[in-house]
Structures are given as C-alpha cells and as structure tokens.
C-alpha cells in the first residue's frame, strides 16, 4: 500500500466507547492542525459499535455507524484500522484479520500487545503493514516514542515508574486523607478512576502488562506478563502510610525494569517505599510517570495523564498520523515498532525474585511482652537480615497488642521471606508481618 500524494487518509474505528468518542472529538477539534502537520485530512469512514440499543449522539452519523467489524476489514477504501475495543477477544482475531487483509493497524490494547504482540508484529512485517500501539502504555505519555526513537542511540540502564493511575490515586488518597484501602477504592470507583471490578488495576496485572511492553522496547527482550513479579496494593494499610511518613518515605505503586546480575532482567510491579526526595514521590492522583536512566543521557523523567478519553485519543491519533506518513511516502517499518529489529529480539533470563537485594520495611504485630524485641531481632538475624531502624507503636487501647516497625539493611528477598516465616511461628506475633520493599 505504498501511495504518495494522498488526498485523505481513511480510517475505520473498532470501538465506540470512551476512547472511540475521544478520537472522534480530537479529529473534529484539531482537524486543521492534523491536516497541516500530516499534509492530508484524516477521514473516519466507519465506526463499529457493539450495542445496537444504545443511543448515539451526533458525533457518529448514522451512515458511518456499523455493528459488523467485517465491514471495516473488508472495505478496500479503508487504509488504517483503529482498535479501541479492549480485551483479548474478539480484538485479537479482528486485528489479525485486518493485517491479513493488508490494513495498517493502530491499537490501544495493552493486554493484547503484552500477550500476543510478537506474533502480531511479525505478521504485520510479513504483510508489509504497520502496527502501532503508543496508547497501550501510559495513555497520553509518549514513552514508547521516546524508547523507540529519542533513545535509539543509547542504552537504557534502568526504567521505573507509576503506570497505573487507579493504584496511584488510591495510595495518594490513603496518604493524604489517612483513609483505609477499601474507602480509597470506593472513592476511586465513585469518581470513575476505578472499574466496578478493580482486580486488574489494584492487583498489579495492568501495570505488569505495560511493563512487559516497556521492557521489550528498552532491552530488546521477548517477554510476556507472567515474566513480571507482580504484587497488588490491597495489602497496604493506612498505618503503613503513617510509618512510611515517619521514616521519610511515601508508598507508591511502582513498576521496575532494569539489568540485574549476569545479564538477567529485574522485572517487578509492587507497592514500595520511595524517599520523599525521589522524583516518583510527588506524582499523585491519577497521574503516571516514567523515570529512566540512559547510559549516555543519564536520568530523564516524563509524566502526564495515563488514562482518559482525550489523553489516550491523542496517542492513538498520533499513531494514525505516523502510519499515514509512512503510507504517503511508501516507508513501511522505517522505525522498528519494538525499537529493535525483529531478528535482534531474544528471550532473556529474568532474575528470580528471591535473588533481588533490597532494603525492606517490616511491620510486625506483636504482644507487648518482655523479650519480644529480642525475639523479633533474633528471628531476623537467624536468616541474615539486619536491622537499620526500629520503632514500636503505642498499644491498642484495652489490649497488649502493638506493632514493631523496622527498616532492614539490604538483604536478599529470599532471606527476608524466610525470616517472615520464622516470625510467624512466634507465639508473641499476632499475625503475619507486613513487608514492603524500599526502592532506592
């Protein structure tokens, strides 16, 4: 489909929900700017919706509305298929069909790219079409473009960030409002930041999918989400927020990808204590942030809205424009969509989480009895975990229950977990201790 001097670029959109409407809004409101930058207007030829019974506004004229994706895929006049339906199916099948039909594809589907991106991209390369997915990670933040183009001459030393706005909003509210997780989650749902079933967000799955994509572009690795060590934020309590603050930290839902020992990749998603002076510490609410370090560039930070109709639509339409530029000059795959040539991508070993060395925050609920501090210190010492700082909370009214809260020196994750098992066996320990990593 190498064509020059196009009078317009014609697209078909699969999905008429929040993001689909955002794309239509943006194309309408920014039509002159888009055409001036691209050199041709973008014409939406067809929009495919799911629900026939749902009332539609004038944004989608009746003659362009469809309920059959095949009408988009089979239409020879459509250059680019835009998928914003979400979910693995039928999106996976439809994208494959579009590529097989010689259509260029733009998608915002992080789950699909994380799970099936390699096969779809290789199919697109075989068929001579483009597959772009900037909006799949961090909404309106152009982080994939940064990794793919701006850092093409550099090596990524480390990449960390907050890539799930729901989790960040919840932990930010717990910190600022001194509220428990359940109350902050309920508020997030009421404000539309969290789904009715928030499992993918608060359980870390959404961030793991995004980190899979980021690490692929950063390190040229073939990865799937199960390669990422994933822990949700639901175990964090308001009391942990208070103690973190006391030690000079805040708790954030972080995603980390960096080189470990012997060429292994350190890939993880979990809540962590970060120092109040760290760039991630001040990013609150539903904002996302990526903090990366290049071997030549050094540290770099980029932040913005990671979700929402217009920020996501902005990334989708920017991808449409990139594909259109390629189409207009016959330059398919000028920039490798995964930042590396497909022949250079390789399966790379991932560091077992037990081998990770880090400092840790521990909160141990105990009975306030003589010798309990020595028992806790002894259990930790038995497994090679040394204490850096330790405080004891006040007793709960009318009980002998309290908490010993401590920060450890650097230790292997496996050593800390073994020490937790030892602590849990003590009669003076009331429940399983809470543990969070400290991200330096």
């Amino acid at each position: 489909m190498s064509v020059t001097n196009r009078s317009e670029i014609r697209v078909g959109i699969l999905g008429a929900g929040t993001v689909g409407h955002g794309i239509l809004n943006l194309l309408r409101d920014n039509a002159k700017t888009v055409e001036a930058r691209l050199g041709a207007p973008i014409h939406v030829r067809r929009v495919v919706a799911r629900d026939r019974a749902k009332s539609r506004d004038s944004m989608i004229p009746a003659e362009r509305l469809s309920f059959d994706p095949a009408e988009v895929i089979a239409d020879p006049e459509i250059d680019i298929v835009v998928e914003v339906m979400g979910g693995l199916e039928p999106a996976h099948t439809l994208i494959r069909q579009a590529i097989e039909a010689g259509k260029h594809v733009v998608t915002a589907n992080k789950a699909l790219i994380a799970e099936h991106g390699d096969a779809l991209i290789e199919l697109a390369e075989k068929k001579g079409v483009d597959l772009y997915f900037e909006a799949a990670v961090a909404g309106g933040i152009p982080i994939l473009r940064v990794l793919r183009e701006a850092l093409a001459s550099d090596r990524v030393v480390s990449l960390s960030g907050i890539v799930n706005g729901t989790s960040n909003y919840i932990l930010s509210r717990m910190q600022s409002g001194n509220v428990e997780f359940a109350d902050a989650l309920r508020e997030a749902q009421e404000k539309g930041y969290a789904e009715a079933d928030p499992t993918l967000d608060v359980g870390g799955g959404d961030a793991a999918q995004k980190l899979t994509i980021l690490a692929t572009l950063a390190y040229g690795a073939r990865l799937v989400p199960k390669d990422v060590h994933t822990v949700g934020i639901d175990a964090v309590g308001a009391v942990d927020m208070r103690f973190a603050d006391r030690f000079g930290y805040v708790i954030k839902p972080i995603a980390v990808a960096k080189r470990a020992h012997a060429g292994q990749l350190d890939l993880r998603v979990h809540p962590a204590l970060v120092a109040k002076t760290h760039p991630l510490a001040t990013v609150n609410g539903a904002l996302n942030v990526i903090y990366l370090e290049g071997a030549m560039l050094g540290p770099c930070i980029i932040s913005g809205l990671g979700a929402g109709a217009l920020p996501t639509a902005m990334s989708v339409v920017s991808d449409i424009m990139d594909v259109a530029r390629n189409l207009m000059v016959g330059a398919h795959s000028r920039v490798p969509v995964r930042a590396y040539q497909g022949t250079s991508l390789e399966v790379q070993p991932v560091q077992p989480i037990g081998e990770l060395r880090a400092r840790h925050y521990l909160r141990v609920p105990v009975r306030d009895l003589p010798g309990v501090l020595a028992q806790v210190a002894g259990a930790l010492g038995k497994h090679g975990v040394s204490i850096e700082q330790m405080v004891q909370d006040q007793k709960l009214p009318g009980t002998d229950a309290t908490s010993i809260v401590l920060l450890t020196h650097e230790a292997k994750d496996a050593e800390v977990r073994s020490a937790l098992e030892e602590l849990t066996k003590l009669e003076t320990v009331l429940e399983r201790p809470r543990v969070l990593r400290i991200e330096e």
Side-chain angles (χ1 to χ4, degrees):
M1 297 182 68
S2 298
V3 183
T4 58
N5 299 320
R6 296 295 299 270
S7 60
E8 65 179 14
I9 300 299
R10 295 157 301 207
V11 305
I13 302 175
L14 305 180
T18 301
V19 177
H21 273 75
I23 294 168
L24 295 171
N25 270 309
L26 190 151
L27 288 174
R28 179 196 62 192
D29 295 346
N30 287 3
K32 289 184 178 179
T33 300
V34 168
E35 183 174 354
R37 290 177 172 175
L38 180 59
I42 295 173
H43 171 65
V44 179
R45 184 172 171 85
R46 187 78 63 184
V47 178
V48 178
R50 287 178 177 172
D51 188 356
R52 291 179 180 272
K54 185 177 179 180
S55 60
R56 308 286 170 183
D57 57 30
S58 59
M59 185 64 64
I60 309 176
E63 67 272 14
R64 286 193 282 165
L65 180 63
S66 171
F67 299 95
D68 183 3
E71 292 185 1
V72 167
I73 294 169
D75 187 342
E77 297 298 314
I78 287 178
D79 304 305
I80 304 170
V81 174
V82 178
E83 184 275 311
V84 287
M85 304 169 69
L88 291 178
E89 289 294 349
H92 182 205
T93 298
L94 293 172
I95 287 178
R96 286 192 67 89
Q97 290 174 347
I99 293 171
E100 292 280 7
K103 307 289 188 188
H104 301 277
V105 175
V106 170
T107 179
N109 196 324
K110 59 184 173 293
L112 182 62
I113 296 300
E115 292 285 355
H116 302 295
D118 276 353
L120 289 173
I121 292 166
E122 285 161 14
L123 176 62
E125 291 171 349
K126 178 181 177 182
K127 292 293 181 178
V129 298
D130 288 319
L131 171 59
Y132 278 37
F133 45 87
E134 180 68 61
V137 179
I141 302 176
I143 183 60
L144 301 190
R145 279 184 174 78
V146 170
L147 292 171
R148 186 187 296 128
E149 299 182 44
L151 295 183
S153 64
D154 204 350
R155 288 179 293 106
V156 177
V157 175
S158 65
L159 180 153
S160 60
I162 298 168
V163 295
N164 183 268
T166 300
S167 294
N168 196 35
Y169 178 85
I170 290 170
L171 292 185
S172 296
R173 284 295 296 129
M174 290 174 68
Q175 176 189 351
S176 63
N178 192 29
V179 297
E180 293 294 346
F181 172 82
D183 297 321
L185 171 59
R186 190 179 307 110
E187 181 181 314
Q189 290 170 323
E190 291 170 353
K191 291 181 177 293
Y193 293 129
E195 302 288 344
D197 180 0
T199 305
L200 192 63
D201 290 318
V202 302
D206 174 85
Q209 292 170 350
K210 293 171 181 175
L211 187 67
T212 300
I213 299 170
L214 288 169
T216 295
L217 272 69
Y219 299 107
R222 293 187 183 273
L223 300 165
V224 291
K226 68 179 181 180
D227 294 323
V228 179
H229 171 75
T230 306
V231 177
I233 65 167
D234 50 337
V236 178
V239 62
D240 299 308
M241 291 288 181
R242 293 194 295 273
F243 276 111
D245 179 72
R246 185 170 174 178
F247 286 121
Y249 295 88
V250 295
I251 300 175
K252 289 293 181 183
I254 67 163
V256 175
K258 61 184 178 182
R259 288 288 183 194
H261 301 292
Q264 295 178 323
L265 289 175
D266 174 14
L267 302 175
R268 47 197 164 87
V269 166
H270 55 81
L273 275 71
V274 297
K276 293 179 181 179
T277 54
H278 193 286
L280 302 185
T282 57
V283 178
N284 295 313
L287 289 174
N288 282 192
V289 59
I290 303 291
Y291 178 81
L292 59 84
E293 184 175 350
M296 308 303 165
L297 172 67
C300 174
I301 188 166
I302 182 168
S303 179
L305 289 171
L310 292 178
T312 304
M314 185 275 297
S315 287
V316 171
V317 174
S318 293
D319 272 354
I320 294 172
M321 293 174 69
D322 273 355
V323 173
R325 289 187 180 110
N326 293 345
L327 176 63
M328 292 170 73
V329 299
H332 156 69
S333 294
R334 182 183 62 83
V335 179
V337 72
R338 291 171 292 187
Y340 287 77
Q341 298 293 335
T343 53
S344 299
L345 292 168
E346 58 185 4
V347 176
Q348 298 182 25
V350 177
Q351 175 179 258
I353 195 62
E355 293 298 308
L356 174 68
R357 297 192 65 86
R359 295 166 61 229
H360 291 76
Y361 159 96
L362 295 178
R363 177 167 57 84
V364 189
V366 297
R367 292 188 176 90
D368 188 15
L369 300 173
V372 69
L373 289 174
Q375 288 182 331
V376 169
L380 293 171
K382 180 179 177 180
H383 294 277
V385 180
S386 60
I387 299 171
E388 180 185 284
Q389 298 182 58
M390 182 166 59
V391 297
Q392 184 170 334
D393 201 8
Q394 296 179 341
K395 289 184 182 181
L396 294 176
T399 73
D400 64 353
T402 186
S403 288
I404 295 173
V405 184
L406 56 92
L407 305 184
T408 75
H409 287 289
E410 190 177 273
K412 280 188 176 183
D413 223 68
E415 296 168 341
V416 174
R417 301 295 162 177
S418 295
L420 290 186
E421 296 301 325
E422 188 83 17
L423 287 168
T424 303
K425 296 174 185 177
L426 296 176
E427 292 185 1
T428 51
V429 174
L430 298 174
E431 59 184 77
R432 186 173 181 80
R434 182 68 43 81
V435 60
L436 296 169
R437 298 182 188 90
I438 300 173
E439 191 65 21
E440 305 295 349

